[in-house]
Amino acid sequence: MNIASKNIFATKKINLFAIGILISLGALFGACSSKSESETSKSAMDTIDTSKTLVVYSGRKEKLIAPILEQFTAATGVKIEAKYGGSTDMGLLLAEEGTKTPADVFISQSPGPVGYLADKNLLAPLPESITSQTMGSASKTWVGISARQRVLVYNTNTVDPTTLPTSVTEMSKPEWASRTAISAKNSSFQDWLTLLRLEIGDTAAEKWLTDFVTNGGKWDYGNNTSIVQATGAGEQEMGLVNHYYLEKVKAADPTLKAENHTFADGDIGGAILLATASILKSSDNVTNAQALLEYLLANEGQKYFSVATYEYLLSNNARAIDGKLDAFLNKVKIVNFDKLGSELAETLDLIKRAGITL
Amino acid sequence: MIQSLQKNISFLAIISAGIAFFFALPLIYIILRLFAEQANLINLINSAEIFKPLIRTVILGITVTGFSLLLGTSLAWLIARTNIAMKSILQILIPLPLAIPSFIIASTYIIAFRPSGKIYDLLAIFKLDNLIAFEGFIAVCISLILITYPYIYLPTLARLSMLSTNAEENAKMLGQKNFSIFYKITWPQISNAAFAGSVLTFLYVIGDFGVVQLLGYPNLATSIYANRLASPTTSFMLSLILAIVAISIVLIERKYFSKKNTFFDAPGGLSKIINLGKYKYLFAIITLIVISFALFIPIIILIHWVYKASISSELGYTTLGSFSLISELSEQYRTTFNTFFVAITTALIATITMVPIAYYVQRNNNILSSIINGLITSMFAIPGLVIVLATVRFTLHIDFIDFLYGTIPILIFAYLITFGAQSLRSIYAGISVLDTNLEYLAKTLGANTWKNLTKIQFPLLLNPILAGIGLVILSTLKELPVSLLASPVGFKTLATDVWIDYDDAFLGAAAVSSLCLILVSLIFNFFLVIRTNKYKNVTS
């Protein structure tokens, strides 16, 4: 188990982790700012047009993104108008609006909806100055702005963490499945199941889910939040969720008895999923849009995500400064995120074949 | 005179058909999308994936509607016709569950009835804790009954308050018991108002997504949702099936349940209050128990969320997403105004557009009126996402009106498509009480059409119209998918606030918005009830 992932499930340590990044990022930002002018001369930041308002459609919720958008406005003078909703619904809305959309930038919680728009040729290719900063689509139509990790949340009263399996593939066995919950309706779980299919093959993935269901795994939770709440309250022993729900639910109720367990390095059970940013092809405000993406990937933006959303940073900036983060990102499973959109239909079929009704 | 009347009717037909055309847009949109994918359709049609969710949807619709009918009618009768204790308080509280978004009801019930919670401890004493796991069909039914009974309560109450009780008095003097009087005399007079509300209930249930998703009852709505990105064609196919079910139920109601009213007396006469004696407290307590499940349990859980978020914020548990009750409340000010503004505007426009349609549909039983009625009413069950995508297609992609896209009028238009049914049903139920003879009589006595409408018909229609306005406002306040997607950029309502915060597990903030939503509805209801009481012709 690497150092970074230990930090992740130790609640108090994550704050130190974030503060550490904050301080080191701050130091670097200060050190860089004088010499950065020549480097960033090609940056969209230099050619922004403050007379044009930037329209952002965001599948990432207001509380988690509005503050950084406001910081961007304060730093650049570019006004932003934002519309918030579920990432998938936003993706479908953008697809229907097509080239007449008022939106310039689309921020999605997962690669699925952006992949859908990329397939419809509605996204603009991003410049090297943005794509080289972080991981993202091979088509260069979207980039990851932050990451969340898949973990096993467990109840600290009833589960001894030292006995927990090192691979998620074990979780379909009776002794684990019967005590574990998933949310088959949740898009993060569905994205992760696509990753599992690509990792171990369709047949093995189908067997995994079918075994999980027949061995008594509970699959009909409505969302991640209710799994974490139920685990913290002791109704559920374990659940497969994204790492940051623990922090959020604990922020709302610190008495909950739950912690996160991370599977072994490189195990698909601990894969990361990306939140993404993209620019609409029809945008007539490309420079400002690119400036926003650069800002989200630069120090200020990355700093914000680590603290506000308890997420992992992705940009080279952040990785270069923080050795632990770099080690973490090198050890987790990095996959081909482009497949998440096009493979979703097949994943839903697999879920149904495993005996789950959506 | 007959000739001028006929001219009026055909004029009415044209107006009604014109308005109804807009309500057909979502259906046209679904069909256009399906046509674009016709190659794949064959694969989808044979699938058992359609049949099973369809059956589950219909079973849920029938069950919930049956129980809601019982509950809604009983409550309306108790309020309108008896001296039940604490009447004015009950009257304000009874319709309120309508204002709570379904996903909030469901998620607070999950907490309230959780196995590790207080209520289960209580049930364990009676060894009932293994009996009731609050999930699946039963849980979904209970939640939906408690959300939907106001759809039946409101129009039935409006009808009861229009009727005199002379026939009931006579029956009583002839020695009939209360229940038999209700069954033989009151019910035939209110049945079509109650059935009008039942149609709304059925449509709400088959279209609802929040409760079935969170409490685990897979059906058409969850299937539409699950497939919407991976296979939009499947979703549109299932939406079309949902629309067909909705239209069928509206047609069935019209043919078999919306019988010609039996009235034993002219509307507007005096009605007498039944003295329940010592039972007036018992019935008040039973009513309060229903309200406490529908309203107080969610409110207590919401207050608990606010409390916990405040406590943990003080402990320094959150970092940037920290919770402050004061700043949450101050943010609500503008949002509350937005919400109220769109809700009231929608309700008024719905009333204006639905009065002519209600007249036309009620007074003409032909194919055109059935189509108009079916189209407008069934839209209540269509997923909000489909309605929004249809408004995108038919505004943004049509030259000359594309400038309307992303404006408040388009948001209100989308609300109108969704909730026009509520206004139509209420006014329709009111008009069916008006005796056509009354119109002829007024005309023979020299009243012109305007005088006829304002002096005779409108006063009698006031309660049903207000009931319709109440329904539309309460529904718009909590509406979600349309509010999120069709709003102008940057425009928020209380319901979107609730959902956005809830979805990202900011339970404290979500609870503040939810409580504001309930409070706004409470204040609004208070005025509506006072106004209705003033006009009610009740003696005791």
Side-chain angles (χ1 to χ4, degrees):
Chain A
M1 194 170 298
N2 65 57
I3 302 159
S5 59
K6 253 186 196 163
N7 278 331
I8 294 141
F9 56 82
T11 314
K12 280 171 193 158
K13 281 183 189 162
I14 197 159
N15 289 336
L16 292 175
F17 178 61
I19 290 164
I21 290 179
L22 241 157
I23 293 167
S24 45
L25 282 175
L28 190 98
F29 194 62
C32 287
S33 53
S34 54
K35 63 165 186 177
S36 65
E37 272 173 23
S38 59
E39 275 177 20
T40 53
S41 60
K42 283 178 219 154
S43 156
M45 286 282 186
D46 301 331
T47 51
I48 49 177
D49 177 357
T50 52
S51 68
K52 281 184 169 174
T53 299
L54 198 57
V55 177
V56 177
Y57 279 17
S58 179
R60 164 141 297 187
K61 306 313 168 333
E62 185 174 12
K63 278 227 159 34
L64 298 179
I65 194 103
I68 189 69
L69 298 181
E70 282 161 20
Q71 280 182 39
F72 172 78
T73 303
T76 61
V78 174
K79 287 199 182 67
I80 291 183
E81 284 185 340
K83 182 169 192 154
Y84 301 97
S87 297
T88 302
D89 290 343
M90 282 283 169
L92 293 168
L93 180 68
L94 281 164
E96 185 58 56
E97 289 179 346
T99 53
K100 296 190 83 173
T101 182
D104 301 302
V105 172
F106 177 39
I107 294 169
S108 168
Q109 290 280 65
S110 68
V114 262
Y116 181 73
L117 295 175
D119 286 348
K120 293 190 176 297
N121 202 18
L122 290 168
L123 299 180
L126 299 172
E128 189 70 17
S129 62
I130 292 172
T131 54
S132 62
Q133 294 274 317
T134 177
M135 49 184 104
S137 164
S139 65
K140 300 198 187 286
T141 48
W142 56 265
V143 288
I145 50 173
S146 62
R148 51 196 182 276
Q149 190 179 21
R150 295 295 295 178
V151 294
L152 181 72
V153 65
Y154 64 91
N155 180 283
T156 50
N157 286 345
T158 54
V159 178
D160 174 4
T162 57
T163 62
L164 290 172
T166 52
S167 171
V168 74
T169 49
E170 302 276 307
M171 296 305 295
S172 62
K173 291 182 177 164
E175 65 265 38
W176 300 114
S178 60
R179 301 155 68 193
T180 304
I182 58 172
S183 172
K185 311 163 187 184
N186 177 264
S187 64
S188 284
F189 176 79
Q190 293 169 359
D191 281 348
W192 174 77
L193 195 61
T194 304
L195 301 185
L196 183 73
R197 284 177 45 221
L198 300 174
E199 174 83 5
I200 65 174
D202 282 3
T203 322
E206 185 173 340
K207 183 170 172 0
W208 182 87
L209 189 58
T210 312
D211 286 351
F212 180 83
V213 173
T214 47
N215 289 332
K218 196 162 159 47
W219 49 264
D220 56 357
Y221 274 92
N223 51 29
N224 277 311
T225 306
S226 49
I227 293 181
V228 178
Q229 282 174 334
T231 307
E235 292 156 23
Q236 189 68 51
E237 289 189 58
M238 289 166 278
L240 289 169
V241 292
N242 296 340
H243 78 276
Y244 58 10
Y245 285 95
L246 180 68
E247 302 300 332
K248 290 177 183 173
V249 171
K250 276 198 170 176
D253 185 0
T255 60
L256 290 175
K257 300 270 178 284
E259 290 297 342
N260 282 340
H261 164 73
T262 329
F263 295 106
D265 296 342
D267 188 73
I268 193 69
I272 58 167
L273 299 170
L274 304 185
T276 72
S278 50
I279 298 175
L280 277 301
K281 207 175 211 172
S282 53
S283 170
D284 57 356
N285 202 355
V286 176
T287 323
N288 287 350
Q290 289 179 356
L292 176 63
L293 263 56
E294 281 176 16
Y295 191 82
L296 294 177
L297 291 170
N299 304 332
E300 292 297 321
Q302 294 286 290
K303 205 161 71 182
Y304 170 80
F305 288 126
S306 74
V307 183
T309 67
Y310 311 102
E311 278 179 296
Y312 299 114
L313 312 178
L314 279 174
S315 80
N316 294 342
N317 262 338
R319 295 178 71 164
I321 307 154
D322 191 81
K324 288 180 202 160
L325 177 72
D326 206 28
F328 166 71
L329 286 174
N330 285 335
K331 281 178 181 176
V332 295
K333 193 79 194 171
I334 305 289
V335 294
N336 179 1
F337 296 103
D338 276 324
K339 294 255 182 177
L340 289 180
S342 54
E343 291 290 331
L344 181 60
E346 180 50 36
T347 299
L348 292 186
D349 275 346
L350 188 150
I351 290 175
K352 286 172 204 159
R353 288 199 299 275
I356 292 173
T357 322
L358 289 173
Chain B
M1 194 181 77
I2 299 288
Q3 259 179 352
S4 80
L5 200 73
Q6 256 170 5
K7 209 171 120 199
N8 280 342
I9 284 172
S10 59
F11 179 60
L12 204 56
I14 292 165
I15 289 183
S16 305
I19 294 171
F21 168 75
F22 291 101
F23 286 80
L25 291 177
L27 271 185
I28 295 171
Y29 175 76
I30 292 174
I31 291 165
L32 285 177
R33 290 288 302 245
L34 289 176
F35 258 112
E37 296 282 340
Q38 45 184 308
N40 296 330
L41 281 185
I42 318 292
N43 303 333
L44 290 166
I45 288 171
N46 288 330
S47 162
E49 275 173 39
I50 288 174
F51 192 65
K52 211 171 141 192
L54 172 65
I55 294 293
R56 292 173 67 88
T57 289
V58 172
I59 289 174
L60 183 68
I62 292 171
T63 313
V64 173
T65 307
F67 282 103
S68 280
L69 181 62
L70 199 65
L71 185 57
T73 314
S74 315
L75 290 175
W77 183 80
L78 281 170
I79 293 294
R81 290 291 164 80
T82 72
N83 65 339
I84 187 169
M86 302 182 289
K87 191 191 273 187
S88 48
I89 296 173
L90 292 179
Q91 223 178 328
I92 294 167
L93 294 179
I94 288 172
L96 274 189
L98 205 59
I100 310 178
S102 0
F103 69 96
I104 285 293
I105 292 262
S107 51
T108 53
Y109 282 1
I110 290 173
I111 303 289
F113 298 106
R114 69 181 334 157
S116 58
K118 292 275 182 290
I119 294 178
Y120 260 73
D121 292 347
L122 201 69
L123 288 174
I125 299 171
F126 306 101
K127 304 247 178 277
L128 284 171
D129 51 333
N130 288 328
L131 211 69
I132 311 160
F134 204 76
E135 56 188 22
F137 183 70
I138 304 270
V140 166
C141 279
I142 292 173
S143 311
L144 285 172
I145 291 164
L146 293 174
I147 294 170
T148 57
Y149 74 79
Y151 288 123
I152 295 162
Y153 164 83
L154 286 173
T156 309
L157 182 68
R159 169 66 61 83
L160 278 168
S161 56
M162 284 172 92
L163 298 172
S164 83
T165 51
N166 292 346
E168 276 103 333
E169 304 294 307
N170 296 342
K172 195 163 190 125
M173 275 185 268
L174 292 171
Q176 297 276 343
K177 291 268 188 299
N178 274 344
F179 181 77
S180 130
I181 293 173
F182 178 84
Y183 182 72
K184 288 185 183 150
I185 295 169
T186 315
W187 177 245
Q189 298 187 86
I190 61 171
S191 69
N192 70 3
F195 285 133
S198 303
V199 168
L200 290 181
T201 299
F202 188 90
L203 297 178
Y204 184 95
V205 172
I206 67 173
D208 173 78
F209 169 71
V211 169
V212 288
Q213 174 84 348
L214 286 172
L215 294 177
Y217 183 76
N219 65 1
L220 278 179
T222 60
S223 204
I224 289 169
Y225 179 85
N227 284 301
R228 71 204 196 287
L229 186 67
S231 170
T233 313
T234 309
S235 283
F236 284 114
M237 188 75 212
L238 295 172
S239 301
L240 185 64
I241 289 164
L242 193 61
I244 292 169
V245 174
I247 292 174
S248 312
I249 209 77
V250 177
L251 294 180
I252 289 171
E253 188 262 347
R254 180 148 202 218
K255 193 155 170 42
Y256 298 104
F257 290 94
S258 172
K259 288 189 203 114
K260 207 166 159 43
N261 280 285
T262 322
F263 289 121
F264 299 103
D265 201 355
L270 295 180
S271 63
K272 197 170 164 81
I273 294 295
I274 291 168
N275 189 351
L276 292 173
K278 60 189 173 190
Y279 292 112
K280 71 188 233 184
Y281 298 105
L282 179 69
F283 280 109
I285 288 167
I286 293 172
T287 309
L288 274 177
I289 289 173
V290 171
I291 294 172
S292 62
F293 272 89
L295 201 59
F296 298 153
I297 287 181
I299 289 176
I300 288 167
I301 300 286
L302 291 172
I303 291 172
H304 191 60
W305 283 355
V306 176
Y307 170 76
K308 277 198 164 172
S310 307
I311 294 282
S312 53
S313 192
E314 268 169 32
L315 291 174
Y317 239 91
T318 50
T319 47
L320 268 179
S322 72
F323 175 83
S324 147
L325 185 57
I326 303 295
S327 73
E328 284 299 331
L329 279 174
S330 63
E331 271 178 34
Q332 296 304 330
Y333 164 75
R334 186 160 181 82
T335 313
T336 306
F337 175 79
N338 281 350
T339 312
F340 231 118
F341 169 76
V342 290
I344 289 174
T345 315
T346 306
L348 293 179
I349 293 176
T351 307
I352 293 164
T353 49
M354 288 306 132
V355 165
I357 292 188
Y359 261 99
Y360 178 70
V361 171
Q362 208 281 325
R363 292 289 151 86
N364 298 274
N365 199 349
N366 55 33
I367 293 174
L368 181 65
S369 74
S370 290
I371 292 174
I372 290 173
N373 184 41
L375 267 180
I376 295 176
T377 312
S378 64
M379 281 306 119
F380 187 40
I382 302 297
L385 179 64
V386 173
I387 290 176
V388 171
L389 294 181
T391 60
V392 175
R393 173 70 59 97
F394 296 116
T395 53
L396 188 64
H397 295 300
I398 293 178
D399 292 345
F400 309 115
I401 55 166
D402 56 354
F403 70 93
L404 281 170
Y405 185 69
T407 61
I408 301 268
I410 287 299
L411 174 65
I412 289 170
F413 174 74
Y415 281 143
L416 178 67
I417 302 287
T418 317
F419 298 129
Q422 303 191 347
S423 186
L424 173 62
R425 293 269 105 183
S426 307
I427 300 168
Y428 178 95
I431 288 172
S432 60
V433 181
L434 297 181
D435 196 337
T436 31
N437 290 332
L438 199 67
E439 282 170 45
Y440 284 114
L441 194 65
K443 288 201 173 177
T444 347
L445 292 172
N448 60 22
T449 310
W450 176 245
K451 221 171 182 178
N452 183 6
L453 280 176
T454 52
K455 295 271 181 202
I456 296 169
Q457 308 216 1
F458 187 73
L460 283 168
L461 279 182
L462 190 66
N463 276 339
I465 284 177
L466 283 177
I469 288 179
L471 276 177
V472 175
I473 288 182
L474 291 181
S475 304
T476 311
L477 287 179
K478 71 165 180 179
E479 202 286 333
L480 206 47
V482 169
S483 313
L484 272 172
L485 296 172
S487 290
V489 175
F491 186 91
K492 295 191 292 178
T493 72
L494 282 172
T496 62
D497 254 13
V498 175
W499 183 77
I500 286 171
D501 288 335
Y502 169 77
D503 199 48
D504 250 319
F506 289 106
L507 298 181
V512 173
S513 308
S514 302
L515 290 168
C516 279
L517 192 59
I518 296 169
L519 187 70
V520 165
S521 309
L522 182 89
I523 294 167
F524 162 76
N525 235 8
F526 179 73
F527 286 111
L528 195 71
V529 166
I530 287 185
R531 160 124 196 101
T532 326
N533 277 353
K534 228 199 287 186
Y535 277 78
K536 225 160 64 182
N537 33 22
V538 165
T539 60
S540 41

